[in-house]
């Protein structure tokens, strides 16, 4: 209510000043129609109606009606946006440069580097501004918020003006008249002599024109709309203009305007949005925002959090969590819905008249095309690709799918996908990538499922770059997921088959964990024992490497190896479902191990110790573990190649369990049969 009263006061003052104090012919016309008292009264009433109308029409957020039951006030959930200037766009970067830069970051995000400025500060400073961004990034929301701030008495937009929001998608007819649109807005709210008031306001520079969605203008009308806006701006240049447009559709239309791009949300903005979304008292009492934010920080939710960088998809994720109070384990469903939102749902909800590429090119067919591009690129370890290359891939797909040659326009398809959905994004001149790595992984998995390429997928079993693809494939294949799990189990045995010592260790793990005191699942106990054997073997190999390194005075080798050895020595238990070592192993000597390990940690040789000192310490550490776990030195003297094979085997087994959790449906008996074989080797 305070906001509304503030807006009424601000608008009323501007209206009165325009109507009663202006010197234009339009202002004189208004004064001639009413007495000063009448004009003031009408101005206050009109201001009240205008503020209410703006709030109801433009400041109530309700998207995805199937999930969102009622609208939320924009003021309650708005998160401050940040903008990037043109310097942040890497126009002339090469393909290899982009790949190298991305991998050097060590993060999943493709976000642009550069200074980020507060969007409202930029909007307040610029008289002519174009706001660019990808679909769902929040351009329309930002324009509405700018108008709301302009309405306030002491808002962030410090201009004595009246905001008027025009949705450009409505300019469908050949006759285009912005002044008529503005006048209609005022007439609806009962402004005195709305046509004359519009003329007076424009003449005095009292309007803030918010031109939303230049990319949403029907193509056949775009040139006329652009020309009309340019002429309108030139004729009324004392007013303020802010336009919005999707980046892919923008071609530097307006010479007077400063162009800025909305940046994807960073962690600070994501957290702020979540806290605003879950700010109702029941959510505050339940600490819903805290729980959700903590959940997104977990390693297994990195890919989900990546989608949250796009405000539209963050809204979707908040709606999902609001309903379920968890993030679905089966992320394939979650990501599939997120992709559908970008492909079709968002445009349908906004009632956009999208340009058809050709008849029959529906969302499902487009998904198949994108999945093929994603898979081929992933196979080539390629996150960025040249425009000509992707056009060739699209054209080839169209040639295989359609008969009519007139439809084989790969460039037009690429442009439409980029403009309409933003799933493919131009990162530098003629260099593209998927908007999110998560979407590329999902589409890769979709392609595997569609073409039955699980056998090809197994080739990438221990390549952690493919981990998310395995999990998503498991979810997408439904009841056939058990086939993927069985393939993983069969493939994992190849890592052991050439190494008799590893087979012996797996058999030892089975023997040493059977009938232990804990209630931990038998397979988990075998995994813990095998992992410990791998750690012991690694520690021995590393400690000996340190001894060799000290002989040749390699300081870097000593620093690295001694740090790893220290971590192994300090470990006093194995964290498998919070179980202690006694819960894992059936040997009574295990209870004394923590004290012995602590002593070993306290006696680690210094970095400048002699080679014999390191050898003695390594031998003592190894002997401690061997004695505790009833292993012989010969059984655990592994080569680095054997250690690597054992780690690959254990990783594949862990991935199998994760795929099982990601699956939609697996018959209980099928899983029981498979689990019984895991981490075992028949005599």
């Amino acid at each position: 209510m305070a906001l509304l009263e503030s807006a009424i006061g601000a608008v009323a003052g501007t209206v009165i000043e325009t109507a009663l104090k202006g010197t234009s012919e339009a202002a004189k016309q208004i004064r001639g129609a009413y007495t000063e008292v009448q004009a003031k009264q009408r101005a206050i009433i009109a201001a009240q109606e205008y503020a209410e109308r703006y709030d109801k029409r433009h400041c109530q957020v309700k998207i995805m009606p199937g999930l969102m039951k009622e609208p939320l006030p924009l003021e309650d959930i708005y998160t401050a946006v940040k903008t990037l200037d043109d310097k942040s766009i890497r126009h002339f970067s090469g393909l290899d440069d982009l790949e190298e830069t991305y991998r050097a970051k060590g993060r999943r995000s493709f976000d642009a580097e550069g200074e980020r400025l507060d969007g409202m500060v930029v909007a307040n400073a610029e008289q002519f501004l174009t706001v660019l961004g990808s679909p769902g990034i929040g351009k329309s929301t930002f324009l509405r918020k700018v108008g709301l701030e302009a309405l306030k008495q002491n808002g962030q937009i410090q201009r004595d003006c009246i905001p008027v929001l025009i949705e450009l998608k409505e300019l469908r007819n050949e006759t285009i008249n912005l002044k008529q649109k503005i006048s209609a807005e005022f007439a609806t709210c009962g402004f005195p002599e709305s046509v004359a008031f519009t003329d007076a306001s424009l003449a005095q520079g009292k309007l803030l024109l918010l031109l939303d969605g230049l990319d949403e203008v029907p193509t056949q009308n775009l040139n006329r709309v652009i020309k009309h806006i340019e002429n309108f701006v030139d004729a009324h240049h004392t007013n303020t203009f802010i336009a919005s447009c999707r980046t892919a559709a923008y071609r530097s239309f307006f010479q007077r305007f400063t162009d800025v791009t909305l940046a994807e949300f960073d962690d600070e903005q994501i957290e702020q949005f979540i806290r605003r979304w879950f700010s109702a008292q029941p959510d505050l009492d339940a600490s819903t925002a805290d729980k959700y934010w903590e959940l997104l920080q977990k390693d297994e939710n990195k890919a989900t959090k990546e989608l949250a960088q796009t405000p539209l998809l963050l809204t979707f994720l908040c709606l999902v969590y609001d309903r379920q109070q968890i993030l679905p384990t089966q992320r394939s469903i979650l990501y599939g819905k997120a992709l559908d939102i970008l492909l079709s749902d968002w445009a349908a909800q906004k009632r956009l008249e999208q340009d058809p590429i050709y008849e029959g090119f529906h969302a499902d067919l487009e998904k198949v095309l994108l999945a093929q591009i994603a898979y081929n690129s992933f196979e080539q370890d390629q996150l960025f690709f040249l425009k000509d290359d992707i056009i060739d891939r699209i054209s080839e797909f169209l040639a295989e799918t359609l008969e009519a040659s007139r439809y084989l326009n790969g460039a037009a398809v690429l442009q439409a996908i980029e403009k309409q959905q933003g799933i493919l994004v131009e990162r530098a001149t003629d260099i593209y990538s998927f908007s999110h790595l998560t979407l590329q992984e999902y589409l890769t998995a979709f392609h595997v499922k569609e073409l039955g390429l699980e056998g090809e997928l197994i080739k990438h079993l221990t390549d952690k770059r493919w981990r998310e693809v395995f999990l998503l494939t498991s979810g997408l294949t439904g009841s056939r997921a058990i086939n993927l799990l069985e393939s993983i189990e069969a493939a994992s045995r190849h890592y052991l088959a050439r190494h008799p010592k590893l087979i012996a260790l797996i058999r030892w793990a089975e023997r040493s964990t059977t009938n232990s005191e804990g209630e931990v699942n038998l397979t988990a106990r075998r995994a813990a024992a095998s992992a410990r054997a791998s750690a012991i073997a690694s520690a021995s190999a590393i400690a000996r490497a340190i001894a060799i390194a000290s002989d040749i005075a390699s300081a870097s080798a000593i620093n690295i190896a001694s740090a790893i050895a220290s971590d192994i020595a300090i470990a006093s238990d194995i964290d498998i479902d919070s179980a202690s070592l006694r819960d894992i192993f059936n040997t009574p000597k295990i209870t004394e191990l923590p004290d012995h390990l602590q002593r070993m940690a306290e006696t680690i040789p210094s970095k400048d110790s002699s080679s014999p000192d390191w050898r003695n310490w390594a031998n003592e550490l190894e002997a401690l573990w061997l004695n505790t776990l009833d292993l012989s030195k010969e059984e655990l003297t592994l080569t680095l190649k054997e250690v690597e094979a054992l780690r690959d085997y254990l990783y594949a087994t862990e991935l199998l369990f994760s795929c099982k959790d990601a699956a939609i449906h697996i018959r209980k008996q099928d899983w029981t049969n498979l689990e019984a074989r895991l981490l075992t080797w028949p005599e």
Side-chain angles (χ1 to χ4, degrees), residues 411-482:
V413 175
L414 173 60
Q415 182 182 21
I417 293 172
E418 183 187 10
K419 174 184 172 182
Q420 295 176 11
Q421 296 113 10
I423 295 173
L424 292 173
V425 178
E426 189 174 24
R427 301 294 182 182
T429 304
D430 292 338
I431 298 177
Y432 285 75
S433 78
F434 282 89
S435 58
H436 299 86
L437 179 56
T438 300
L439 294 181
Q440 185 176 5
E441 290 167 336
Y442 173 83
L443 287 163
T444 299
F446 182 82
H447 186 76
V448 170
K449 184 266 294 186
E450 285 291 288
L451 273 67
L453 299 177
E454 289 85 349
E456 294 295 315
L457 181 62
I458 291 296
K459 296 177 182 178
H460 306 287
L461 182 56
T462 57
D463 185 346
K464 294 182 180 178
R465 189 173 63 88
W466 285 79
R467 180 182 179 85
E468 195 70 21
V469 177
F470 273 89
L471 299 177
L472 293 169
T473 301
S474 182
L476 287 169
T477 49
S479 58
R480 293 191 293 109
I482 188 63

Side-chain angles (χ1 to χ4, degrees), residues 1-12 47-48 51 151-153:
M1 190 63 181
L3 170 63
L4 188 59
E5 291 173 355
S6 172
I8 293 168
V11 176
Q48 179 176 355
L151 284 172
K152 296 179 184 178
Q153 193 79 48

Side-chain angles (χ1 to χ4, degrees), residues 66-109:
L67 289 174
M68 201 168 183
K69 297 178 181 178
E70 56 187 28
L72 294 174
L74 173 63
E75 190 75 353
D76 290 353
I77 62 172
Y78 180 79
T79 298
V81 302
K82 299 177 183 179
T83 65
L84 297 166
D85 59 24
D86 191 58
K87 297 176 183 177
S88 304
I89 302 172
R90 306 182 64 187
H91 290 287
F92 304 109
S93 293
L95 194 68
D96 293 340
D97 181 39
L98 285 174
E99 291 277 359
E100 183 179 345
T101 301
Y102 169 80
R103 297 178 196 282
K105 288 180 185 178
R107 296 183 287 117
R108 293 177 57 89
S109 173

Side-chain angles (χ1 to χ4, degrees), residues 156-170:
Q156 297 180 67
I157 301 299
Q158 297 295 310
R159 297 179 184 273
D160 182 18
C161 60
I162 302 173
V164 181
L165 190 139
I166 305 295
E167 293 183 326
L168 297 178
K169 66 182 179 183
E170 297 177 357

Side-chain angles (χ1 to χ4, degrees), residues 235-268:
H236 307 289
H237 57 86
T238 56
N239 295 274
T240 302
F241 295 83
I242 302 179
S244 72
C245 185
R246 291 182 181 179
T247 307
Y250 189 61
R251 297 293 180 268
S252 300
F253 296 126
F254 309 127
Q255 296 302 314
R256 289 177 181 264
F257 285 50
T258 299
D259 300 338
V260 296
T261 301
L262 292 190
E264 292 186 326
F265 273 6
D266 55 25
D267 279 6
E268 179 185 0

Side-chain angles (χ1 to χ4, degrees), residues 485-498:
L485 303 190
E486 289 176 341
S487 297
I488 293 174
E489 191 271 336
S492 69
R493 291 183 176 273
H494 290 290
Y495 298 114
L496 303 183
R498 295 188 296 274

Side-chain angles (χ1 to χ4, degrees), residues 23 270 327 530:
T23 58
I270 294 171
L327 282 174
S530 302

